[in-house]
Amino acid sequence: MEATTPAREAARTASRGRNPRGQGERLRAEIIDATLRLLDELGDDQALSLRAVAREVGIAATSVYMHFADRDALVLAALEHCHAGLLRTGDDAESGAADPVAALRARATLLSAWSREHPGLYKVLHESTLNRRTDMSFKGEMANRTTAAIRRCMDLRTAVHGAVSLRVNQPELPWPPLEEQVDRFLVKLVGVPPAQG
Amino acid sequence: MEATTPAREAARTASRGRNPRGQGERLRAEIIDATLRLLDELGDDQALSLRAVAREVGIAATSVYMHFADRDALVLAALEHCHAGLLRTGDDAESGAADPVAALRARATLLSAWSREHPGLYKVLHESTLNRRTDMSFKGEMANRTTAAIRRCMDLRTAVHGAVSLRVNQPELPWPPLEEQVDRFLVKLVGVPPAQG
DNA sequence: TGTACATCAGTGAACGCGCGTTCACTGATGTAC
DNA sequence: TGTACATCAGTGAACGCGCGTTCACTGATGTAC
């Protein structure tokens, strides 16, 4: 019947004194964190209660209303926060990749790993009935990023095919060096920073 | 705010007098039907209340307990009933098909159509947190049927390949007629009734 | 330097609600004698 | 054929619970004069 982990118990009993003046927004962040933790455990937004969130943070239920208009606003804000974090780490993973295929792989790998670590949140984000009941249009941005990552691969592939095909079929024409042209494709189509020199 | 459809309203107001002696089990079926209707609308088992089911049927909440031990038993019985129906119609669809590939296609087509007609039930059956919280092992039977349908395709393909390959590579041996051998494969591997004569 | 006041970060009691479940009951219908 | 009794198919009132939300409040900290 141990409903709380030691870590959570510690988080609750420690530190939760009133925030200093001007730092009231800190509680907002704590509430969102707790909400996401609970949603990940429950895997279902309907099962989450505002009072459970308050208990998790160690505050009075009424204090939640200082930062969120009602339960729905809280859940939506938490999911939007979670989603924004995913976008950010996705972009970070992509930016470290050498080429658009590696970037696409990095993005996909990151999302897979995240969904395995947070199956409950994944369910709430993509399978909960919240998707029917409320406007979660912010989620569109994730699809946009993925589509863009794929399009960069497609465009590069298409352009490189053009460069190669023309050289194969009309070798007598005065083509610029292939490597340089592909480099320009990479810079302009894919957004890779230009090679120095 | 019209929460009830005309059809449902009619179903509720009409007919719901006490069942005649010995026909008490009829109510059980009505309760299960209503439960499945509501689950299909809600798309979430946690959102379903026993009292809502009773309202839908037009009986006192307490009457549900005549047939089900508690709310969980009701939900589980309803889902098991739904699942059993799916198995049955899947088998029916398959049995009308000429060969194992057509059978597999018939089964897949039927399940797709059903999930489009009943997205809420599909969600409850496969994505609700009930799957974590309770034993839904009856669902394994669906996987078994599908696996069997696929295996019949695979086995037939493998056996036919053997028959053809041996004839191609050792044409000098006294092979039985290919059609007859394939027919035996159909009868014995796939379960097709033997051709008459 | 002192003091009245405003602001900020929260709290505790209370509300009405729908829920799952229990309990004692009702009234029609069959059955034994 | 009459009657006492058992069984069956349900019902209505009541319980305690956790919930979302409202309301009036508290007490520490900064600020104007």
Side-chain angles (χ1 to χ4, degrees):
Chain A
M1 266 290 136
E2 269 280 88
T4 57
T5 65
R8 180 174 308 161
E9 193 55 40
R12 182 181 319 159
T13 53
S15 81
R16 185 98 284 292
R18 166 192 300 222
N19 280 314
R21 231 161 196 252
Q23 303 295 313
E25 286 300 301
R26 278 192 205 165
L27 181 56
R28 195 189 137 91
E30 276 185 73
I31 293 173
I32 283 194
D33 282 356
T35 304
L36 290 175
R37 240 177 295 141
L38 290 177
L39 283 175
D40 196 20
E41 269 173 42
L42 296 166
D44 179 3
D45 76 283
Q46 304 246 58
L48 181 92
S49 77
L50 181 147
R51 293 176 105 112
V53 171
R55 256 177 263 128
E56 174 82 8
V57 179
I59 54 173
T62 43
S63 303
V64 175
Y65 289 91
M66 301 175 64
H67 297 285
F68 304 96
D70 51 28
R71 201 206 80 114
D72 282 7
L74 164 63
V75 171
L76 229 59
L79 290 181
E80 201 156 353
H81 178 86
C82 169
H83 181 262
L86 270 177
L87 282 186
R88 215 177 315 109
T89 55
D91 289 352
D92 288 355
E94 219 180 24
S95 76
D99 60 82
V101 173
L104 182 58
R105 170 177 291 132
R107 188 175 279 279
T109 305
L110 182 117
L111 286 181
S112 313
W114 182 83
S115 70
R116 252 196 307 271
E117 275 171 55
H118 300 288
L121 273 176
Y122 188 89
K123 279 183 77 60
V124 175
L125 213 46
H126 297 299
E127 300 182 348
S128 82
T129 52
L130 254 186
N131 288 283
R132 289 182 182 185
R133 296 195 313 272
T134 66
D135 174 33
M136 307 248 289
S137 56
F138 63 83
K139 276 175 55 185
E141 195 46 35
M142 183 62 85
N144 289 349
R145 306 281 170 112
T146 309
T147 308
I150 292 169
R151 192 181 302 118
R152 281 193 286 273
C153 292
M154 301 282 287
D155 288 351
L156 182 66
R157 208 249 141 184
T158 303
V160 169
H161 170 74
V164 170
S165 174
L166 287 171
R167 279 169 180 76
V168 167
N169 291 297
Q170 299 178 273
E172 71 285 2
L173 291 186
W175 299 109
L178 180 58
E179 286 71 20
E180 289 179 14
Q181 193 171 25
V182 169
D183 226 58
R184 283 194 295 280
F185 290 159
L186 278 170
V187 172
K188 296 186 175 171
L189 293 178
V190 176
V192 164
Q196 67 246 45
Chain B
M1 267 290 134
E2 269 279 87
T4 57
T5 65
R8 181 176 308 163
E9 193 54 39
R12 182 182 319 160
T13 53
S15 81
R16 184 99 284 291
R18 165 193 301 224
N19 280 313
R21 229 159 198 254
Q23 302 295 313
E25 286 300 303
R26 278 191 204 167
L27 181 55
R28 194 189 139 91
E30 278 185 72
I31 293 172
I32 283 193
D33 283 356
T35 304
L36 290 176
R37 240 177 296 141
L38 290 178
L39 283 176
D40 197 20
E41 269 172 42
L42 296 167
D44 179 3
D45 76 282
Q46 304 247 58
L48 181 93
S49 78
L50 180 146
R51 293 176 106 112
V53 171
R55 258 177 262 129
E56 174 81 8
V57 178
I59 54 173
T62 43
S63 303
V64 175
Y65 289 92
M66 300 175 66
H67 298 285
F68 305 96
D70 51 28
R71 202 205 79 114
D72 281 8
L74 165 62
V75 171
L76 229 58
L79 289 180
E80 201 156 354
H81 178 86
C82 169
H83 182 263
L86 271 176
L87 282 185
R88 215 178 315 110
T89 56
D91 289 352
D92 288 354
E94 218 179 25
S95 76
D99 60 81
V101 173
L104 181 58
R105 169 176 291 132
R107 188 175 279 280
T109 305
L110 182 116
L111 286 181
S112 312
W114 182 82
S115 70
R116 252 196 307 271
E117 275 172 53
H118 301 287
L121 272 176
Y122 188 89
K123 277 183 78 61
V124 174
L125 213 46
H126 298 299
E127 300 181 350
S128 80
T129 51
L130 254 185
N131 287 283
R132 291 182 182 186
R133 296 195 313 272
T134 65
D135 174 34
M136 307 248 288
S137 56
F138 62 83
K139 276 176 56 186
E141 196 46 35
M142 183 62 83
N144 289 348
R145 306 281 171 113
T146 309
T147 308
I150 292 170
R151 192 182 301 117
R152 280 193 287 274
C153 292
M154 301 282 286
D155 288 352
L156 183 66
R157 208 249 142 185
T158 304
V160 169
H161 170 75
V164 170
S165 174
L166 286 172
R167 280 168 179 77
V168 166
N169 290 298
Q170 299 178 275
E172 72 284 1
L173 291 187
W175 299 109
L178 179 59
E179 286 70 20
E180 289 179 15
Q181 193 171 24
V182 168
D183 227 58
R184 283 195 294 281
F185 290 159
L186 278 170
V187 172
K188 297 187 175 169
L189 293 178
V190 177
V192 164
Q196 67 247 42

